[in-house]
Amino acid sequence: MGRQRAEFAAFYENARDDCLRAVTASTGNRQIAEDAVAEAFARAWASWSTVARHPSPRAWVVRTALNTHISWWRRRRREVSEPAAPDAGRDDTDGMPDPRVMAALRSLPTRQREVFVLRVFLDLDSETTARTLGIAAGTVTAHLARATRALREHLTPVLEQEQKL
């Protein structure tokens, strides 16, 4: 049990920030992401012997956190509306992407956003991303290309306008 605890502690220390960044990018809300990631890590610890053998435990945590968020949202969607913009006025980004990038990510369809986050934020290969999301590797490639194109189209005018100022 001590070895397992040490392995999990090392995994948590190495993976937490990456997982939090990925889930924040996908949900658009830091507090919701923190709650979902905490829940996902708790579930990972409860099933550590299985999760440790997963091809990408970080992807397992992110997928579990996103599923937790989706379940939470479904239960509460009639009670509480989700904010449309990131937390206004916060400048403590803790390594989070630029708010403009976050807004552009939130504008993507869910599957494109998930693929982009797993491939770019967690640096997973196409095969691991495909297994994590339960889709074909070719589908991962197609979604990544579409997401990249959409982000480029969304962000290029913003950055060009900023350069003019």
Side-chain angles (χ1 to χ4, degrees):
M1 184 66 151
R3 182 181 62 79
Q4 211 175 23
R5 182 173 290 154
E7 283 177 7
F8 181 78
F11 167 69
Y12 177 81
E13 285 296 318
N14 291 325
R16 183 189 180 278
D17 291 343
D18 288 342
C19 293
L20 182 58
R21 247 187 310 278
V23 175
T24 301
S26 190
T27 64
N29 184 299
R30 175 71 183 249
Q31 186 170 359
I32 289 171
E34 287 175 350
D35 292 345
V37 168
E39 175 68 23
F41 272 110
R43 291 180 186 185
W45 169 242
S47 303
W48 183 241
S49 59
T50 303
V51 174
R53 291 190 311 268
H54 190 276
S56 178
R58 287 176 191 223
W60 186 97
V61 169
V62 169
R63 180 78 250 160
T64 301
L66 292 174
N67 287 345
T68 298
H69 171 65
I70 289 167
S71 296
W72 173 86
W73 181 81
R74 283 180 181 156
R75 284 191 307 270
R76 289 169 179 80
R77 69 180 168 203
R78 290 188 178 102
E79 299 171 19
V80 179
S81 63
E82 197 154 331
D87 297 337
R90 287 188 65 180
D91 58 355
D92 58 330
T93 58
D94 296 327
M96 290 297 133
D98 184 295
R100 296 170 297 190
V101 173
M102 296 292 285
L105 277 170
R106 279 192 310 282
S107 72
L108 295 175
T110 302
R111 186 61 78 185
Q112 287 180 20
R113 185 173 55 242
E114 291 171 345
V115 166
F116 188 86
V117 165
L118 292 174
R119 291 282 286 126
V120 175
F121 285 69
L122 293 185
D123 197 28
L124 299 180
D125 60 40
S126 292
E127 290 295 326
T128 305
T129 301
R131 279 194 306 274
T132 300
L133 296 175
I135 58 178
T139 305
V140 168
T141 303
H143 281 307
L144 182 60
R146 289 181 190 127
T148 303
R149 184 175 56 245
L151 290 172
R152 188 175 295 123
E153 289 171 1
H154 186 274
L155 292 171
T156 299
V158 172
L159 296 175
E160 287 174 350
Q161 181 64 30
E162 189 176 277
Q163 287 178 346
K164 289 179 183 178
L165 298 176

